[in-house]
Short mmCIF file of all heavy atoms in Angstrom, two decimals:
data_model
loop_
_atom_site.label_atom_id
_atom_site.label_comp_id
_atom_site.label_asym_id
_atom_site.label_seq_id
_atom_site.Cartn_x
_atom_site.Cartn_y
_atom_site.Cartn_z
N GLN A 194 91.71 93.85 104.41
CA GLN A 194 90.77 94.34 105.41
C GLN A 194 91.40 95.54 106.13
O GLN A 194 92.40 95.43 106.83
CB GLN A 194 90.49 93.23 106.50
CG GLN A 194 89.55 93.69 107.63
CD GLN A 194 89.36 92.65 108.61
OE1 GLN A 194 89.24 91.41 108.29
NE2 GLN A 194 89.15 93.04 109.87
N VAL A 195 90.77 96.69 105.87
CA VAL A 195 91.30 97.95 106.40
C VAL A 195 90.32 98.35 107.55
O VAL A 195 89.20 98.67 107.30
CB VAL A 195 91.30 99.03 105.35
CG1 VAL A 195 91.93 100.33 105.84
CG2 VAL A 195 92.16 98.59 104.11
N ASP A 196 90.90 98.35 108.73
CA ASP A 196 90.11 98.64 109.99
C ASP A 196 90.40 100.08 110.44
O ASP A 196 91.60 100.51 110.41
CB ASP A 196 90.41 97.66 111.05
CG ASP A 196 90.10 96.21 110.71
OD1 ASP A 196 89.05 96.02 110.05
OD2 ASP A 196 90.91 95.34 111.05
N TYR A 197 89.29 100.77 110.83
CA TYR A 197 89.49 102.17 111.39
C TYR A 197 89.11 102.17 112.90
O TYR A 197 88.53 101.19 113.38
CB TYR A 197 88.49 103.05 110.67
CG TYR A 197 88.86 103.28 109.19
CD1 TYR A 197 88.35 102.50 108.18
CD2 TYR A 197 89.65 104.31 108.88
CE1 TYR A 197 88.70 102.69 106.88
CE2 TYR A 197 90.02 104.55 107.49
CZ TYR A 197 89.49 103.75 106.58
OH TYR A 197 89.89 103.98 105.20
N HIS A 198 89.63 103.17 113.55
CA HIS A 198 89.45 103.21 114.98
C HIS A 198 87.99 103.27 115.44
O HIS A 198 87.67 102.86 116.56
CB HIS A 198 90.17 104.45 115.54
CG HIS A 198 91.65 104.36 115.51
ND1 HIS A 198 92.42 103.45 116.20
CD2 HIS A 198 92.62 105.04 114.78
CE1 HIS A 198 93.64 103.55 115.96
NE2 HIS A 198 93.84 104.51 115.09
N ASN A 199 87.08 103.74 114.56
CA ASN A 199 85.65 103.83 114.90
C ASN A 199 84.89 102.55 114.69
O ASN A 199 83.65 102.50 114.77
CB ASN A 199 85.00 104.98 114.04
CG ASN A 199 85.03 104.67 112.54
OD1 ASN A 199 85.51 103.66 112.11
ND2 ASN A 199 84.45 105.60 111.81
N GLY A 200 85.60 101.44 114.33
CA GLY A 200 84.93 100.12 114.18
C GLY A 200 84.58 99.77 112.71
O GLY A 200 84.22 98.65 112.45
N LEU A 201 84.76 100.81 111.91
CA LEU A 201 84.42 100.50 110.43
C LEU A 201 85.52 99.64 109.76
O LEU A 201 86.75 99.84 110.07
CB LEU A 201 84.31 101.80 109.68
CG LEU A 201 83.88 101.79 108.26
CD1 LEU A 201 82.35 101.42 108.22
CD2 LEU A 201 83.98 103.08 107.60
N SER A 202 85.17 98.71 108.93
CA SER A 202 86.11 97.92 108.22
C SER A 202 85.72 97.83 106.75
O SER A 202 84.51 97.60 106.36
CB SER A 202 86.09 96.40 108.79
OG SER A 202 86.60 96.40 110.10
N LEU A 203 86.68 98.04 105.88
CA LEU A 203 86.45 97.98 104.38
C LEU A 203 87.31 96.81 103.88
O LEU A 203 88.43 96.58 104.34
CB LEU A 203 86.82 99.27 103.69
CG LEU A 203 85.69 100.26 103.62
CD1 LEU A 203 85.48 101.00 104.92
CD2 LEU A 203 86.00 101.35 102.48
N TYR A 204 86.85 96.13 102.84
CA TYR A 204 87.52 95.06 102.17
C TYR A 204 87.87 95.54 100.73
O TYR A 204 86.86 95.75 99.97
CB TYR A 204 86.70 93.82 102.22
CG TYR A 204 86.45 93.33 103.67
CD1 TYR A 204 85.29 93.73 104.37
CD2 TYR A 204 87.32 92.52 104.31
CE1 TYR A 204 85.15 93.40 105.70
CE2 TYR A 204 87.16 92.21 105.63
CZ TYR A 204 86.00 92.57 106.32
OH TYR A 204 85.77 92.25 107.56
N ILE A 205 89.11 95.65 100.44
CA ILE A 205 89.60 96.30 99.18
C ILE A 205 90.22 95.22 98.31
O ILE A 205 91.14 94.53 98.71
CB ILE A 205 90.57 97.44 99.46
CG1 ILE A 205 89.90 98.49 100.37
CG2 ILE A 205 91.04 97.99 98.21
CD1 ILE A 205 88.71 99.14 99.80
N HIS A 206 89.73 95.21 97.11
CA HIS A 206 90.32 94.28 96.12
C HIS A 206 91.18 95.21 95.14
O HIS A 206 90.62 95.94 94.34
CB HIS A 206 89.27 93.51 95.25
CG HIS A 206 89.80 92.56 94.35
ND1 HIS A 206 89.67 92.66 92.96
CD2 HIS A 206 90.41 91.37 94.59
CE1 HIS A 206 90.19 91.64 92.40
NE2 HIS A 206 90.63 90.84 93.34
N THR A 207 92.44 95.18 95.29
CA THR A 207 93.32 96.18 94.68
C THR A 207 93.43 95.97 93.13
O THR A 207 93.61 96.91 92.41
CB THR A 207 94.78 96.19 95.25
OG1 THR A 207 95.26 94.81 95.31
CG2 THR A 207 94.77 96.71 96.64
N GLU A 208 93.33 94.75 92.65
CA GLU A 208 93.44 94.49 91.22
C GLU A 208 92.28 95.32 90.44
O GLU A 208 92.60 95.95 89.49
CB GLU A 208 93.41 93.03 90.85
CG GLU A 208 93.51 92.71 89.43
CD GLU A 208 92.08 92.71 88.66
OE1 GLU A 208 91.23 92.00 89.17
OE2 GLU A 208 91.97 93.43 87.74
N SER A 209 91.11 95.22 90.99
CA SER A 209 89.99 95.87 90.34
C SER A 209 89.77 97.27 90.87
O SER A 209 88.79 97.96 90.45
CB SER A 209 88.70 95.00 90.42
OG SER A 209 88.44 94.79 91.81
N LEU A 210 90.55 97.71 91.85
CA LEU A 210 90.39 98.95 92.52
C LEU A 210 89.04 99.18 93.17
O LEU A 210 88.50 100.22 93.26
CB LEU A 210 90.58 100.18 91.57
CG LEU A 210 91.94 100.22 90.75
CD1 LEU A 210 91.95 101.44 89.90
CD2 LEU A 210 93.11 100.15 91.70
N SER A 211 88.44 98.05 93.58
CA SER A 211 87.06 98.02 94.03
C SER A 211 86.91 97.75 95.55
O SER A 211 87.89 97.20 96.18
CB SER A 211 86.24 96.96 93.34
OG SER A 211 86.68 95.70 93.60
N MET A 212 85.85 98.24 96.18
CA MET A 212 85.46 97.93 97.51
C MET A 212 84.64 96.70 97.50
O MET A 212 83.52 96.70 97.00
CB MET A 212 84.70 99.09 98.16
CG MET A 212 84.39 98.81 99.62
SD MET A 212 83.21 100.09 100.36
CE MET A 212 81.68 99.53 99.53
N ALA A 213 85.18 95.57 98.03
CA ALA A 213 84.49 94.33 97.93
C ALA A 213 83.45 94.17 99.10
O ALA A 213 82.53 93.35 99.00
CB ALA A 213 85.48 93.15 98.04
N GLY A 214 83.59 94.97 100.13
CA GLY A 214 82.61 94.93 101.25
C GLY A 214 82.89 95.98 102.29
O GLY A 214 83.96 96.56 102.28
N ILE A 215 81.93 96.25 103.04
CA ILE A 215 82.00 97.31 104.04
C ILE A 215 81.18 96.79 105.26
O ILE A 215 80.07 96.30 105.10
CB ILE A 215 81.56 98.70 103.61
CG1 ILE A 215 81.68 99.73 104.75
CG2 ILE A 215 80.14 98.64 103.15
CD1 ILE A 215 81.48 101.19 104.35
N THR A 216 81.73 96.91 106.44
CA THR A 216 81.07 96.38 107.63
C THR A 216 81.48 97.10 108.86
O THR A 216 82.44 97.88 108.91
CB THR A 216 81.26 94.86 107.77
OG1 THR A 216 80.36 94.25 108.75
CG2 THR A 216 82.70 94.52 108.21
N ASN A 217 80.74 96.79 109.95
CA ASN A 217 81.20 97.22 111.35
C ASN A 217 80.73 96.09 112.32
O ASN A 217 80.06 95.14 111.83
CB ASN A 217 80.56 98.62 111.63
CG ASN A 217 79.06 98.67 111.59
OD1 ASN A 217 78.39 97.64 111.51
ND2 ASN A 217 78.56 99.85 111.62
N PRO A 218 81.02 96.24 113.59
CA PRO A 218 80.56 95.09 114.53
C PRO A 218 79.07 94.76 114.46
O PRO A 218 78.66 93.61 114.51
CB PRO A 218 81.06 95.65 115.84
CG PRO A 218 82.20 96.48 115.54
CD PRO A 218 81.93 97.13 114.25
N TYR A 219 78.26 95.81 114.28
CA TYR A 219 76.82 95.61 114.30
C TYR A 219 76.40 94.83 113.07
O TYR A 219 75.69 93.81 113.20
CB TYR A 219 76.15 97.02 114.26
CG TYR A 219 74.74 97.03 113.70
CD1 TYR A 219 73.63 96.60 114.52
CD2 TYR A 219 74.45 97.43 112.45
CE1 TYR A 219 72.36 96.59 114.03
CE2 TYR A 219 73.15 97.46 111.97
CZ TYR A 219 72.12 96.98 112.73
OH TYR A 219 70.80 97.00 112.26
N LYS A 220 76.90 95.19 111.80
CA LYS A 220 76.54 94.49 110.70
C LYS A 220 77.08 93.07 110.72
O LYS A 220 76.44 92.08 110.26
CB LYS A 220 77.07 95.22 109.48
CG LYS A 220 76.71 94.51 108.10
CD LYS A 220 77.19 95.40 106.94
CE LYS A 220 76.93 94.60 105.65
NZ LYS A 220 77.39 95.33 104.46
N THR A 221 78.34 92.85 111.20
CA THR A 221 78.86 91.58 111.22
C THR A 221 78.11 90.64 112.15
O THR A 221 77.93 89.45 111.81
CB THR A 221 80.34 91.64 111.79
OG1 THR A 221 81.17 92.54 110.89
CG2 THR A 221 80.97 90.29 111.82
N SER A 222 77.58 91.14 113.23
CA SER A 222 76.82 90.32 114.15
C SER A 222 75.48 89.87 113.50
O SER A 222 75.12 88.71 113.59
CB SER A 222 76.39 91.09 115.45
OG SER A 222 77.61 91.49 116.12
#
């Protein structure tokens, strides 16, 4: 889970080099 100062969060699966998900507080709610 890579979090940025602007509230964006990305979920990275390194084996497949893929983005498994992307969210922010609004989407999470």
Side-chain angles (χ1 to χ4, degrees):
Q194 178 179 324
V195 182
D196 299 319
Y197 291 90
H198 290 294
N199 63 1
L201 189 67
S202 296
L203 273 76
Y204 298 89
I205 300 298
H206 188 245
T207 52
E208 179 271 307
S209 58
L210 305 182
S211 64
M212 184 189 73
I215 181 171
T216 191
N217 58 13
Y219 159 77
K220 181 180 177 181
T221 300
S222 299

